[in-house]
Amino acid sequence: MEQFDELYQLPKSVSFPKLSRYFALIMGILLIIYSIFVIFTKLNENTSTFMKIVPFFIAFLALDSITRNLFSLNKITINEQELKLTFLAKKSVTIPWLRMTKMEIYKGKAKGFNIFYIENGQEKKYFLTMQFPKMIEIINLIVFLAPHVEYDEFVKSLAILPKSKNN
């Protein structure tokens, strides 16, 4: 199991690729600016209905891309005390290991994991998408650092636990 020693070195951070995130944000902003330019300078009463609708459609898709990139998970930081989920334009979510209660696969349209935890006396849930980079490594660290949590069979099947030094 020595090949997995690096996996368990903490703290560990995993980020969404910055180039693709910022490229999508910049392109979305440029598309919205161009759509506004077209709406105010190129459209007139002689323009076809289709050409009048297209800039609004492009602006809507660009705005959707911008909001997805601003409010989706950007970085996961794992240390001995907690799991920290960071976003570009949204408050970070911090889940202490001792407050985590359950983790299970979500089999809906978007594949991922539901993480259940207690905050201010209430059970909360966070959806962690499988599309995030190094997800198997992240799952293994969660299982390693929070052995008290209830895991479903799929999550358990992903875990590669290190052998104790006594073995």
Side-chain angles (χ1 to χ4, degrees):
M1 294 294 271
E2 293 170 6
Q3 68 267 28
F4 299 115
D5 287 346
E6 185 180 316
L7 171 67
Y8 300 106
Q9 291 178 356
L10 298 174
K12 189 168 293 271
S13 290
V14 179
S15 297
F16 193 82
K18 287 180 175 58
L19 181 65
S20 62
R21 169 97 3 132
Y22 293 122
F23 178 76
L25 286 170
I26 291 168
M27 287 305 295
I29 292 167
L30 291 175
L31 283 170
I32 289 174
I33 291 169
Y34 182 72
S35 296
I36 292 170
F37 169 76
V38 168
I39 290 167
F40 288 111
T41 62
K42 304 292 182 191
L43 300 182
N44 57 43
E45 62 276 349
N46 297 330
T47 307
S48 70
T49 304
F50 177 76
M51 293 307 292
K52 288 179 182 177
I53 294 173
V54 168
F56 291 100
F57 184 68
I58 291 171
F60 172 77
L61 292 176
L63 185 61
D64 180 59
S65 174
I66 290 171
T67 56
R68 284 178 191 253
N69 280 289
L70 285 176
F71 297 108
S72 63
L73 183 61
N74 189 52
K75 182 179 180 182
I76 296 177
T77 305
I78 298 172
N79 61 39
E80 292 86 0
Q81 293 83 27
E82 63 196 11
L83 171 70
K84 186 172 184 179
L85 310 163
T86 310
F87 309 85
L88 288 179
K90 189 168 117 176
K91 185 180 174 187
S92 296
V93 175
T94 302
I95 306 172
W97 298 121
L98 295 175
R99 292 193 181 168
M100 194 180 290
T101 58
K102 184 167 69 168
M103 185 171 176
E104 63 188 14
I105 183 103
Y106 174 74
K107 297 179 183 175
K109 184 178 178 184
K111 300 289 187 235
F113 300 93
N114 284 323
I115 299 174
F116 296 88
Y117 61 100
I118 304 296
E119 185 177 290
N120 299 328
Q122 295 181 336
E123 184 176 66
K124 295 198 173 191
K125 176 173 63 170
Y126 181 80
F127 176 74
L128 187 60
T129 180
M130 277 192 196
Q131 282 76 30
F132 201 80
K134 298 185 179 181
M135 186 50 64
I136 301 296
E137 184 177 328
I138 293 165
I139 298 301
N140 272 283
L141 282 167
I142 292 172
V143 170
F144 177 70
L145 293 166
H148 64 281
V149 173
E150 177 187 334
Y151 299 103
D152 68 2
E153 289 302 315
F154 184 74
V155 174
K156 286 179 187 176
S157 72
L158 295 176
I160 303 169
L161 295 175
K163 293 181 180 176
S164 65
K165 296 193 185 326
N166 298 337
N167 289 351

